[in-house]
Amino acid sequence: MTGLRYVYAVCRPFGAALQAQLTGVAGDPPRVLHHHDLVAVVSHVPEADFAEEALRAHLEDLDWLAATARAHQQVIDALTAVTTPLPLRLATVFRDDSGVRVMMEEREDYFHRTLDRLEGRVEWGVKVYVESDPEQGALAERPAGKPASGRDYLRQRSMRSRAHEDMWQRAEQFATRLHRTLSERAEDTRLHAPQNTALSGAAGRNVLNAAYLVRRDVSEEFVEMVDRTKDEAPGIRVELTGPWAAYSFAGEESREGNSGESRPRDTGAGEAS
């Protein structure tokens, strides 16, 4: 099959086979491309969709982007089950196998350093949400009917404001304690910006959005620590995701992708965060 080379991840050679029916972006099965003692996991993608101008247009199409991201993640998940991958950015493409090998040659030291640091480790995500707006809860508890006077109205407003402040203070304290506890079992952590509820679609307001780099052999203990906190604070929800490839800990250089290599017919093409 001809086409551009889509690169999912770089890792060390591994003996286990990937799933027999695994397909990648554009439906092409992934394969490994060896270079010295590293491998890149790649598949073919059509130039009509992944050349620079076409890709730029596709990245404005949310349905296309979501389908591509799902296929990309399927391959990363399969790799995480058998080895420690260093994921590259979504839509990292090169003209041919030679372009992929040039990239691996140029970044070989970086790949080795990062894979050494990530070997045997996975990423867990933990999010904390306030499940309902504290102000709405206060409104629900107030007596039915209109305020009897202006003073009564001000009193109700003051009660709602205090309830709102108390709930957020409790949520922040809970999230701070949880992060401190989980950090003791993690080798590294990342605090991401809270998610925008309107964009994520998650119920409640996000007050903690953290990633933890955890050794595989202590992951069960880490999960149990999170589970024990889930009923500690009424009105606060804890969500655990993973294990993932260590996206958050790959380092600044990995997030640069093909910076300075934007031409799909040379050594790289466009990409998305």
Side-chain angles (χ1 to χ4, degrees):
M1 179 178 179
T2 60
L4 301 176
R5 304 303 188 267
Y6 187 109
V7 188
Y8 300 90
V10 172
C11 49
R12 292 202 171 91
F14 53 94
L18 295 176
Q19 304 163 19
Q21 303 302 316
L22 181 65
T23 58
V25 174
D28 190 51
R31 62 185 177 87
V32 295
L33 180 65
H34 290 264
H35 181 71
H36 296 165
D37 51 353
L38 294 171
V39 297
V41 180
V42 306
S43 64
H44 295 82
V45 290
E47 188 170 352
D49 288 324
F50 285 86
E52 186 173 9
E53 291 185 9
L55 180 60
R56 186 178 296 115
H58 277 313
L59 294 179
E60 300 298 323
D61 181 343
L62 295 183
D63 290 337
W64 184 94
L65 187 59
T68 300
R70 283 194 299 270
H72 179 101
Q73 188 61 45
Q74 278 186 166
V75 176
I76 298 299
D77 288 345
L79 287 169
T80 304
V82 299
T83 188
T84 300
L86 175 54
L88 300 191
R89 293 181 67 173
L90 184 71
T92 296
V93 294
F94 293 84
R95 179 182 180 183
D96 50 27
D97 288 355
S98 176
V100 178
R101 288 193 172 96
V102 168
M103 178 272 292
M104 296 171 72
E105 179 76 30
E106 291 177 345
R107 304 175 67 189
E108 186 170 6
D109 289 344
Y110 162 72
F111 288 139
H112 279 298
R113 288 196 309 272
T114 306
L115 287 168
D116 284 344
R117 182 165 53 86
L118 301 182
E119 184 69 31
R121 292 155 178 81
V122 291
E123 176 175 330
W124 292 92
V126 177
K127 296 182 177 65
V128 174
Y129 296 90
V130 176
E131 291 198 298
S132 59
D133 187 336
E135 186 170 352
Q136 295 299 321
L139 285 169
E141 294 172 1
R142 72 180 182 183
K146 295 181 179 180
S149 64
R151 178 177 295 177
D152 189 35
Y153 171 78
L154 292 175
R155 180 182 61 82
Q156 291 181 6
R157 286 293 300 271
S158 177
M159 291 175 60
R160 290 196 296 270
S161 178
R162 286 199 299 272
H164 186 276
E165 292 175 0
D166 288 347
M167 173 58 86
W168 287 116
Q169 184 176 20
R170 288 197 300 272
E172 290 175 357
Q173 290 172 347
F174 173 85
T176 298
R177 289 196 305 272
L178 177 61
H179 178 64
R180 184 184 303 119
T181 299
L182 297 180
S183 296
E184 293 175 356
R185 288 293 180 271
E187 296 201 346
D188 202 354
T189 66
R190 292 288 185 273
L191 286 173
H192 301 304
Q195 287 186 325
N196 184 314
T197 301
L199 297 178
S200 69
R205 184 168 175 179
N206 183 213
V207 295
L208 176 69
N209 181 13
Y212 301 87
L213 184 67
V214 180
R215 295 202 323 267
R216 288 182 186 271
D217 60 358
V218 299
S219 282
E220 184 175 351
E221 180 184 353
F222 183 87
V223 171
E224 290 174 353
M225 291 174 66
V226 177
D227 286 342
R228 287 197 295 268
T229 69
K230 289 187 175 181
D231 298 321
E232 284 185 4
I236 296 175
R237 184 175 81 257
V238 180
E239 289 188 357
L240 173 71
T241 60
W244 307 109
Y247 286 98
S248 299
F249 304 95
E252 290 296 328
E253 187 175 352
S254 71
R255 290 195 289 271
E256 293 172 6
N258 299 334
S259 176
E261 300 177 356
S262 61
R263 294 173 295 166
R265 289 189 169 277
D266 294 327
T267 55
E271 60 195 19
S273 298

